[in-house]
Amino acid sequence: MINFDDTKVAFADKSNFDLKRMHFLFLTMNNPAIAKIGIWMTVFALKIHLPIKWMIKKTIFAQFCGGESLEDSKGTVEKLAASNIHTILDYSVEGEESEKVFDFNRDEIIRSLEMASNNTHIPTGVMKLTGFTAFDLLAKKQSGDPLTPDESSRYETFLERVDQICAKAVEVHKYLFIDAEETWIQDVIDEVVYAMMEKYNKETVYIFNTYQMYRTASLQNLKDAHQLGLDKGFKIGAKLVRGAYMEKERERAERKGYQDPIQPNKEASDKDYDAAVTYCLENINEVYLCAGTHNENSSRLTAELMDHHGIAKADPKVYFAQLYGMSDNLSYTLANEGYNVAKYVPYGPVAKVLPYLMRRAEENTSIAGQSSREFTLVKKEIARRKSK
């Protein structure tokens, strides 16, 4: 049994100052009312150009982001590597849509892969496909409505951008994780990702799709993808997460009058997540696994199933992943035990990654027990150090 409560391991590379900052942040997030007021005030202050960037950078940015640029993130990569934890550099700028921005985003992901090519501690790149074309264009494509000539041209350019990034990942021999998004664009995302898998995942896996297990359809979608790969002669990369769009999904389903695509409760999500992990490990030569989870039980189950199936802890076909700044008790403990562990490390200019940071704050506030768990562990480590 892996012990995820050893805070000496979990916070081994954190200074006393780091722990005090974490204590303040998770104490705030542990109070939903205070957290929401803080989020609102931060957004408002930036809108009226109050000089608070330094404060954001020293607090929530330092907790959840690696730096403002690739170069700025190198220190974070090295610090994690010292604890045998790998880094997934995630360019987390959101909300800008233009062909110029889409080209820049493509070039930035390629730059991150080139940086990874010279660093064994960066095993993978990551991208959201809405970083390379307009969300509304993907939604229209999935709806089946015919695209205009201009839209068709923009869609083809989007496919070229995605292929250029995938080709770079293969060239530098790195995995590439493609994030899941909302259900009303996910089918077209899947179509693009499986086309890339068919092209590049012949002998080994480079391209990973993401399966949000809080969706009722995801377990079967994973199994269907495996069968598609068997039929067409390619391997599957599966990054499993619980999901990130539940409230938005349910609101839209109710508003538009279609069946809610989300699991009825957390237990159902947990059941399907663990079933998906089991399925991947049972078929590990054809379905590589990234277990993206902050759940202790699922992490423990994954480790136990690896042992059951004779899969080595350091087998490159299996990774654990958590977000930077969260669930260090999982990441550092698993890495200390010899498993492949990677942290998602967002980076980008402070003002431009603010939407990401606000989601992290809201997520810690809304997920039952998440901020309380983080806060409890930080308090425990502070007390341990004081008692020495």
Side-chain angles (χ1 to χ4, degrees):
M1 293 288 289
I2 299 175
N3 176 20
F4 290 121
D5 293 323
D6 187 344
T7 58
K8 182 178 180 181
V9 173
F11 301 115
D13 70 346
K14 302 295 188 298
S15 67
N16 290 337
F17 176 82
D18 292 334
L19 288 174
K20 289 178 182 178
R21 183 191 67 232
M22 294 170 72
H23 183 276
F24 167 76
L25 284 170
F26 288 117
L27 174 64
T28 303
M29 293 174 189
N30 211 25
N31 187 315
I34 294 176
K36 288 180 180 178
I37 291 171
I39 291 169
W40 180 85
M41 290 178 65
T42 301
V43 172
F44 178 75
L46 285 173
K47 280 186 177 179
I48 63 174
H49 305 293
L50 289 180
I52 65 165
K53 175 183 171 180
W54 65 270
M55 183 179 68
I56 297 172
K57 192 167 183 178
K58 292 290 186 182
T59 53
I60 190 170
F61 184 90
Q63 180 66 25
F64 296 118
C65 293
E68 293 198 79
S69 66
L70 283 171
E71 187 66 27
D72 194 27
S73 302
K74 286 182 178 179
T76 302
V77 175
E78 293 169 1
K79 184 176 182 181
L80 289 171
S83 297
N84 197 34
I85 295 176
H86 300 291
T87 295
I88 304 167
L89 289 168
D90 185 6
Y91 184 56
S92 294
V93 172
E94 303 176 5
E96 298 181 63
E97 291 193 356
S98 73
E99 295 301 307
K100 182 179 179 179
V101 168
F102 298 145
D103 282 341
F104 179 88
N105 292 345
R106 173 203 58 202
D107 295 343
E108 182 66 18
I109 303 302
I110 288 174
R111 282 192 289 270
S112 73
L113 287 166
E114 289 172 342
M115 176 174 162
S117 69
N118 299 312
N119 194 320
T120 58
H121 301 297
I122 308 175
T124 178
V126 61
M127 64 182 184
K128 290 179 69 171
L129 294 196
T130 46
F132 313 108
T133 196
F135 186 103
D136 290 346
L137 180 59
L138 294 179
K140 185 173 182 179
K141 178 72 174 177
Q142 180 161 314
S143 73
D145 292 338
L147 302 183
T148 66
D150 176 66
E151 289 170 335
S152 294
S153 175
R154 288 193 287 125
Y155 189 77
E156 289 302 316
T157 301
F158 155 68
L159 294 179
E160 290 172 6
R161 292 183 184 115
V162 173
D163 188 58
Q164 288 164 350
I165 296 169
C166 291
K168 175 57 72 170
V170 174
E171 177 190 326
V172 298
H173 301 289
K174 299 291 180 178
Y175 294 146
L176 181 65
F177 295 162
I178 299 177
D179 285 345
E181 303 194 49
E182 290 85 346
T183 54
W184 56 100
I185 63 170
Q186 188 60 49
D187 289 352
V188 70
I189 288 173
D190 289 345
E191 180 182 321
V192 172
V193 175
Y194 295 140
M196 294 296 98
M197 286 187 183
E198 185 175 359
K199 183 173 182 178
Y200 294 113
N201 284 7
K202 293 291 188 182
E203 301 299 327
T204 187
V205 168
Y206 290 104
I207 313 302
F208 280 67
N209 202 14
T210 300
Y211 300 88
Q212 300 188 100
M213 304 313 299
Y214 76 163
R215 287 186 57 192
T216 56
S218 289
L219 181 58
Q220 189 58 50
N221 288 347
L222 170 64
K223 294 177 179 179
D224 290 345
H226 180 209
Q227 187 59 53
L228 180 67
L230 292 174
D231 293 343
K232 294 196 172 185
F234 64 88
K235 298 176 185 290
I236 301 295
K239 179 164 72 77
L240 306 181
V241 300
R242 277 170 171 77
Y245 304 100
M246 183 169 66
E247 293 178 3
K248 182 191 294 187
E249 292 280 2
R250 285 199 161 137
E251 186 278 331
R252 187 177 189 270
E254 182 177 356
R255 177 164 45 85
K256 290 186 171 286
Y258 60 82
Q259 184 173 353
D260 186 351
I262 304 303
Q263 303 277 12
N265 50 50
K266 183 179 184 300
E267 290 72 24
S269 296
D270 291 344
K271 180 181 177 181
D272 272 14
Y273 186 95
D274 292 345
V277 166
T278 302
Y279 185 85
C280 291
L281 294 176
E282 288 173 346
N283 298 279
I284 194 60
N285 290 322
E286 298 150 4
V287 186
Y288 291 19
L289 169 66
C290 174
T293 182
H294 293 186
N295 185 287
E296 292 181 16
N297 291 332
S298 292
S299 298
R300 191 173 286 112
L301 174 67
T302 304
E304 291 171 353
L305 288 172
M306 289 176 67
D307 182 61
H308 175 74
H309 290 291
I311 301 170
K313 291 180 178 180
D315 191 315
K317 295 189 288 292
V318 182
Y319 266 83
F320 293 84
Q322 289 82 39
L323 294 170
Y324 184 66
M326 295 173 63
S327 298
D328 285 345
N329 63 313
L330 298 186
S331 306
Y332 285 78
T333 300
L334 289 165
N336 191 56
E337 292 283 338
Y339 293 94
N340 294 321
V341 179
K343 282 287 198 182
Y344 260 68
V345 177
Y347 73 92
V350 172
K352 292 188 176 182
V353 300
L354 192 62
Y356 172 86
L357 293 172
M358 295 302 99
R359 279 208 313 278
R360 291 287 74 77
E362 290 170 353
E363 181 178 279
N364 276 277
T365 302
S366 63
I367 294 176
Q370 179 67 49
S371 57
S372 295
R373 176 65 168 154
E374 303 279 2
F375 183 52
T376 299
L377 290 168
V378 170
K379 284 198 301 180
K380 180 180 176 181
E381 176 59 11
I382 291 173
R384 187 194 70 80
R385 293 187 185 186
K386 284 183 178 180
S387 68
K388 290 173 62 176

